[in-house]
Amino acid sequence: MRLILLGAPGAGKGTVAKLLTQIDGSVQISTGDILRGAVRDGTDLGKEAEGYMNRGELVPDSLIMGIMGERLLEDDCKSGFLLDGFPRTIPQAEELKTLLEKLNIDLDFAVNLNVPKDVILDRLTTRRTCSNPECQAIYNVKSMPSKVEGICDKCGSPTIQRDDETEEAITKRLDTFNEQTAPLVDFYRDEGLLLDVNATSSDVVVSTIKEKLAG
Ligand code: ADP
Ligand code: ZN
């Protein structure tokens, strides 16, 4: 499958993407994960991106398009891809459209994960992520805790709060989303690609997507 996952921070894009990869081997491509990896490795890209990320602002479109232009050419994308956190601005969506046309790739849908605001805020402040870069499992101290507090079930590494998950950065990320990313819903509706789903439960999102793909 070839999907774009749209939704506010905390809407569950990463969780849904991970569940979908298990269905048909499509790869999850998360620009947030790629950028955090670059920050961790101290690359030039990471150095450029870090400040924007910690402030809850978007990284410049040119950096993101550089990353994605290369990523989409890699072999593993041939079995399908789930774009998690990209595109995030209208210029990114326009450039992606041109790029996919050039590569002769059709998208199935852009899935809009709709979640009420209070649920979003609650999820973001209670989210924990596995600190092991190879794992990055996602937990929630209230609704999906790890078996041992602070320790990842899958790999035993500590689970942590991300640097951009302070209250201040979260508020800023939500503002950024409303200003720059929410307009993509109309963009994809106009393209005839929008699938709008109620995303309070990730399992329901996955079954809705499966049904729509089946026809
Ligand atoms: P979330 O969806 O939970 O906010 P992500 O992991 O997708 O988090 O992104 C974390 C940060 O990385 C964003 O706040 C932003 O600074 C940067 N980022 C990720 N994807 C993009 C993108 N497509 N365009 C611009 N900045 C991005
Ligand atoms: Zn882990």
Side-chain angles (χ1 to χ4, degrees):
M1 59 185 109
R2 299 193 182 87
L3 302 179
I4 292 172
L5 298 170
L6 294 173
K13 299 184 294 291
T15 306
V16 167
K18 286 191 177 71
L19 291 169
L20 290 171
T21 57
Q22 291 161 18
I23 296 176
D24 69 353
S26 298
V27 286
Q28 173 188 10
I29 304 179
S30 158
T31 41
D33 285 349
I34 293 171
L35 292 169
R36 279 185 290 278
V39 170
R40 211 165 32 232
D41 297 344
T43 64
D44 288 344
L45 169 68
K47 283 179 196 141
E48 226 182 314
E50 188 170 18
Y52 296 101
M53 294 173 74
N54 289 343
R55 287 191 299 274
E57 293 168 13
L58 293 183
V59 169
D61 290 336
S62 57
L63 281 187
I64 298 291
M65 292 314 304
I67 297 171
M68 289 305 294
E70 285 181 17
R71 184 65 188 86
L72 285 169
L73 295 178
E74 283 176 37
D75 257 358
D76 59 354
C77 292
K78 294 206 173 91
S79 37
F81 50 75
L82 309 155
L83 303 184
D84 161 11
F86 169 85
R88 228 172 171 109
T89 63
I90 295 284
Q92 289 180 19
E94 302 270 14
E95 283 193 54
L96 175 64
K97 186 180 169 185
T98 311
L99 183 63
L100 293 178
E101 275 165 7
K102 218 186 306 172
L103 299 174
N104 236 325
I105 294 173
D106 282 329
L107 291 172
D108 295 306
F109 323 105
V111 185
N112 183 35
L113 307 182
N114 254 314
V115 181
K117 243 189 208 143
D118 51 328
V119 178
I120 292 277
L121 267 177
D122 195 55
R123 278 187 191 171
L124 287 173
T125 47
T126 53
R127 177 151 85 179
R128 298 293 181 273
T129 309
C130 174
S131 58
N132 170 2
E134 305 291 316
C135 175
Q136 306 202 37
I138 298 168
Y139 299 93
N140 185 292
V141 290
K142 282 197 203 156
S143 61
M144 215 191 5
S146 51
K147 292 199 185 80
V148 180
E149 196 190 324
I151 301 292
C152 177
D153 292 346
K154 295 197 178 115
C155 76
S157 305
T159 60
I160 51 164
Q161 241 181 322
R162 280 171 23 187
D163 289 339
D164 61 358
E165 285 177 353
T166 62
E167 212 172 304
E168 197 187 346
I170 288 171
T171 308
K172 178 68 185 157
R173 274 159 68 208
L174 291 173
D175 289 346
T176 305
F177 171 78
N178 288 327
E179 282 161 26
Q180 302 192 61
T181 309
L184 294 186
V185 171
D186 285 335
F187 179 93
Y188 286 109
R189 188 179 293 116
D190 292 345
E191 295 282 310
L193 287 171
L194 190 70
L195 175 64
D196 206 21
V197 292
N198 172 331
T200 309
S201 148
S202 299
D203 290 333
V204 175
V205 173
V206 170
S207 49
T208 308
I209 293 172
K210 262 184 171 169
E211 273 167 34
K212 289 285 175 185
L213 286 170

